[in-house]
Amino acid sequence: MKRFRDFFLFCSGAHVPMLKRAPSETNKYGGIGATIFFTGLLAAFSGGYALWTVFSSPWGAIVFGLIWGLMIFNLDRYIVSGMKKRKNFWSEFGMALPRLILAILIAIVISKPLELKVFEKEINQELIVMEQQVFKTQEDKVKDRFQQRINVLNTEIAQLNAAIQLQASKLDTLQIIAQQEADGTGGSRRQNLGPIYKAKKADADTAAAMLKRITDQNGALIAQKRQELASIDSTQKATVGGLNRTSIDGLASRLDALGHLTDRSVPVRWANWFIILLFITIETAPVFVKLISPRGPYDDLLEAHEHAYIIFRKETIEKREREHNKRMMIGQPAVNS
């Protein structure tokens, strides 16, 4: 237990030999050091998981996690050790405010990868939906590239078919007129196969010949255009099949998925905020403890030590100035009266 206590005292950034002269302060600084240590440990897990998400390299994640955790640990230790208890609370608060802001930023950075781990299952489901949306967008862009030509070909085919139908309708009308002239139900109202019938029959035969010619010509063009449509469809399917179907699983995509979840779900949004607030509380706890705790014996000893050093430095500087002035006086030549 003594080793753990000494280690946590080291983590607090306090001067351990001087702190041992104030035993009543060891619990406070031991708690501060433990908080700093576990914050660095959480930062190591967070940084390692973030690198694992990006590169999927276990050794890289371990090395980066250790470096990141040590960096956060050292930064927190410096933040707390740099705070000194004075007699004016507002002066202390003004000195602590930049440290609090820095601690909040560190907490937000640490919390994000761990939030991704907490909501991992929900994020994986959201990533599937996002992948489908991306693939659909890619397919729509491919289809839009060919759609204009497809529309033109379909319009031309419709026009060619309409021309055939129009000529077929004319033929049907002329055949009915010729038939009615033959049986006496129309035209001259006389049943005969005379000259009038023959003229109308000739018009129907001419229309039939025209229909055959139009059908042959337009049928060939329609077949050609349908063949082009089939080729476009084949090319389009090949292009869609060749699209990059790489799964979306990067750090940015997971952050985006988490953003979608928090936008849609109020419970997820609150849970996300509670996790952030938890890390902010953990990260700022040592600063607040140092800020709100009353001035203790360790602070008096530290101030006395600093004051003694200031006096010693001042005396050293004055001594050097006196020695310098003395050497200058000795080296100055005498003036004859």
Side-chain angles (χ1 to χ4, degrees):
M1 292 299 295
K2 184 177 182 301
R3 291 181 179 179
F4 280 110
R5 186 191 63 182
D6 293 342
F7 174 71
F8 288 143
L9 291 177
F10 165 78
C11 294
S12 69
H15 189 267
V16 178
M18 189 177 296
L19 188 60
K20 289 181 177 179
R21 295 168 57 188
S24 61
E25 298 279 89
T26 55
N27 289 335
K28 180 177 74 174
Y29 283 92
I32 292 174
T35 304
I36 293 173
F37 170 75
F38 286 111
T39 301
L41 189 63
L42 289 174
F45 288 137
S46 175
Y49 178 72
L51 194 77
W52 167 262
T53 303
V54 177
F55 297 106
S56 299
S57 172
W59 289 110
I62 292 172
V63 172
F64 178 79
L66 289 174
I67 294 174
W68 179 254
L70 288 173
M71 185 185 72
I72 297 299
F73 167 79
N74 183 67
L75 189 59
D76 285 345
R77 186 172 181 270
Y78 169 75
I79 289 173
V80 175
S81 64
M83 294 180 61
K84 295 178 176 62
K85 295 297 297 182
R86 305 302 180 190
K87 295 181 180 180
N88 189 335
F89 172 80
W90 294 109
S91 175
E92 294 176 10
F93 182 78
M95 294 294 293
L97 187 59
R99 292 173 171 83
L100 285 173
I101 295 173
L102 183 59
I104 291 171
L105 293 177
I106 293 172
I108 294 173
V109 172
I110 292 174
S111 66
K112 278 303 172 185
L114 295 179
E115 290 172 34
L116 298 179
K117 186 62 178 176
V118 171
F119 298 107
E120 185 175 16
K121 293 182 179 179
E122 292 79 7
I123 288 173
N124 289 338
Q125 294 297 323
E126 184 65 23
L127 287 175
I128 294 174
V129 176
M130 291 172 59
E131 287 177 4
Q132 293 173 349
Q133 292 175 347
V134 170
F135 296 157
K136 186 178 183 303
T137 302
Q138 292 175 344
E139 291 176 2
D140 290 342
K141 288 182 178 180
V142 172
K143 291 177 181 178
D144 290 342
R145 192 192 314 166
F146 298 99
Q147 193 60 45
Q148 184 177 1
R149 181 57 183 166
I150 291 174
N151 292 338
V152 170
L153 290 173
N154 285 328
T155 301
E156 292 176 351
I157 290 173
Q159 290 173 349
L160 292 172
N161 282 322
I164 294 174
Q165 293 297 327
L166 180 61
Q167 187 60 35
S169 178
K170 289 181 181 180
L171 174 61
D172 291 341
T173 302
L174 292 174
Q175 286 178 338
I176 291 172
I177 291 173
Q179 183 63 34
Q180 289 175 345
E181 184 65 35
D183 57 21
T185 58
S188 63
R189 298 292 179 176
R190 294 179 183 180
Q191 186 176 1
N192 65 81
L193 299 176
I196 297 175
Y197 165 76
K198 291 179 180 179
K200 292 181 178 180
K201 183 68 168 63
D203 291 339
D205 292 341
T206 302
M210 179 65 72
L211 175 61
K212 185 177 184 307
R213 186 169 66 253
I214 292 174
T215 301
D216 292 340
Q217 291 177 352
N218 289 9
L221 291 174
I222 289 171
Q224 180 181 351
K225 294 181 185 301
R226 284 178 176 170
Q227 184 177 2
E228 186 176 352
L229 282 174
S231 176
I232 291 174
D233 183 66
S234 177
T235 303
Q236 179 176 300
K237 289 180 179 178
T239 304
V240 170
L243 291 174
N244 186 8
R245 299 289 186 176
T246 304
S247 60
I248 301 174
D249 196 29
L251 181 61
S253 300
R254 289 184 170 273
L255 289 172
D256 194 17
L258 180 60
H260 292 168
L261 289 172
T262 54
D263 289 340
R264 289 200 312 266
S265 174
V266 175
V268 173
R269 187 186 312 157
W270 278 108
N272 184 49
W273 273 109
F274 282 139
I275 292 173
I276 295 175
L277 292 175
L278 174 63
F279 276 91
I280 290 176
T281 302
I282 294 172
E283 184 67 29
T284 57
V287 180
F288 275 115
V289 169
K290 195 76 177 290
L291 185 63
I292 66 177
S293 60
R295 183 183 176 91
Y298 173 75
D299 300 300
D300 294 335
L301 290 171
L302 186 62
E303 186 176 359
H305 177 75
E306 291 178 349
H307 181 71
Y309 173 75
I310 293 172
I311 297 299
F312 172 76
R313 185 180 61 179
K314 185 176 179 180
E315 291 177 350
T316 302
I317 293 173
E318 290 177 353
K319 181 179 179 181
R320 288 177 180 175
E321 288 180 351
R322 287 196 301 269
E323 291 177 353
H324 176 72
N325 293 334
K326 185 177 181 181
R327 285 195 299 268
M328 292 294 293
M329 293 293 294
I330 294 174
Q332 186 176 0
V335 180
N336 295 325
S337 54

